[in-house]
Amino acid sequence: MTPDKVNQAPEGGWKSLKVDELKAELEARGLTKSGTKAELVARLDDDDVAQAGSAPAPAAEKAAEPDDAPQTTSGEPGDGDGEPDDGDRASSAPAPEEEAEPDEEAKPKSRRRGSAETTTTRKRERTPRPEGDLIVRARARYVRSAPRKARLVMNHIRGKRVEHAQAILEHAPRAISTDILKLLNSAIANAESAYELGADELTVRRAYVDEGPTIKRFRPRALGRATKIAKRTSHMTIELTTEGNGR
């Protein structure tokens, strides 16, 4: 049987066919049709490989024909029966570049902002200093210390100059003095930021402690009993003023 009349393998391969169909195909090719299905499929595969190597590939020639077909013209350029010439084709077809220009104008190109184009926030204007004595306040809430212990330290800095109060808190032996010193420095920073006042211009006008919520805990004791533990908190406030500094 010539290569043109040989049946091609189905999509699922020769394995998808039944034994009778495989034997009929082998008989048509003049091959031995005895054996198991695997042997029949192997013979057909070997025969396909042998014929593919000896026979030219007609598929490539047929695939090249559709590419050449559109290039043939039925008439001469400029005739009414044939295709339009280059002049008519250029006038009828719109230019692709002219159509692309409105799209580019409608969609501006996005680019990353450079360092020179980054926006900067405006500097906050300082509050004008009021006439007379002013008061600057700082408050610390829920400080984990008993109000009684904090009041013992607050009594030492009330009415003192800020520099003198800082020196007292730095050398105070009580642990709460560290939290009170932080609060005092916060009040000084508020005065410098809002009114451009230095520490040498300020005095501690008021320094007081309010009681905050109490945290309740329990401790196990003997005989299965429990003892209540009250962990107290404080709300501390410090007010600074320029009164008494010769201002």
Side-chain angles (χ1 to χ4, degrees):
M1 180 178 289
T2 58
D4 297 339
K5 297 181 181 181
V6 173
N7 295 330
Q8 298 294 332
E11 296 180 358
W14 296 113
K15 294 181 180 181
S16 61
L17 299 180
K18 297 181 180 180
V19 177
D20 297 337
E21 297 176 350
L22 294 173
K23 290 182 178 180
E25 180 65 25
L26 289 170
E27 185 179 1
R29 297 190 181 193
L31 301 176
T32 305
K33 59 181 181 179
S34 61
T36 60
K37 183 177 180 180
E39 295 176 355
L40 301 179
V41 172
R43 290 194 196 108
L44 290 172
D45 292 337
D46 295 341
D47 189 55
D48 290 342
V49 172
Q51 292 178 4
S54 60
E61 298 178 358
K62 295 180 180 179
E65 292 180 359
D67 298 336
D68 300 335
Q71 297 179 1
T72 59
T73 56
S74 58
E76 296 180 357
D79 296 343
D81 298 337
E83 295 181 357
D85 55 359
D86 296 340
D88 298 339
R89 187 178 302 172
S91 60
S92 60
E97 297 180 356
E98 297 179 357
E99 294 181 355
E101 290 179 357
D103 297 339
E104 295 177 357
E105 295 177 358
K107 298 179 181 179
K109 295 182 179 179
S110 60
R111 60 175 183 175
R112 296 182 61 184
R113 295 186 302 176
S115 59
E117 300 179 6
T118 55
T119 58
T120 56
T121 57
R122 293 184 59 186
K123 189 176 181 180
R124 184 173 59 88
E125 298 180 358
R126 298 184 182 273
T127 306
R129 181 182 299 183
E131 298 180 358
D133 299 331
L134 57 88
I135 297 174
V136 181
R137 183 182 295 105
R139 180 175 297 175
R141 303 185 66 188
Y142 305 103
V143 180
R144 293 294 295 271
S145 178
R148 182 187 64 83
K149 298 178 181 179
R151 291 190 184 108
L152 294 176
V153 180
M154 283 289 193
N155 295 335
H156 291 292
I157 66 172
R158 190 179 297 111
K160 299 289 194 303
R161 298 281 296 271
V162 167
E163 296 176 347
H164 188 191
Q166 288 177 332
I168 293 174
L169 295 174
E170 288 176 357
H171 297 87
R174 294 186 176 272
I176 190 61
S177 60
T178 304
D179 296 328
I180 298 176
L181 180 60
K182 291 180 181 179
L183 181 61
L184 179 61
N185 293 334
S186 177
I188 297 172
N190 293 341
E192 293 178 355
S193 175
Y195 304 106
E196 297 183 353
L197 293 174
D200 56 342
E201 303 176 286
L202 299 171
T203 303
V204 180
R205 179 175 178 268
R206 295 181 62 190
Y208 57 92
V209 181
D210 297 328
E211 185 175 358
T214 302
I215 303 174
K216 299 176 179 62
R217 295 291 182 268
F218 292 90
R219 175 181 298 173
R221 301 302 293 270
L223 302 178
R225 292 176 297 180
T227 303
K228 183 179 179 181
I229 300 175
K231 296 186 176 182
R232 306 186 184 278
T233 60
S234 304
H235 300 326
M236 300 186 299
T237 305
I238 293 179
E239 293 182 359
L240 304 180
T241 183
T242 56
E243 183 182 358
N245 288 333
R247 295 184 56 82

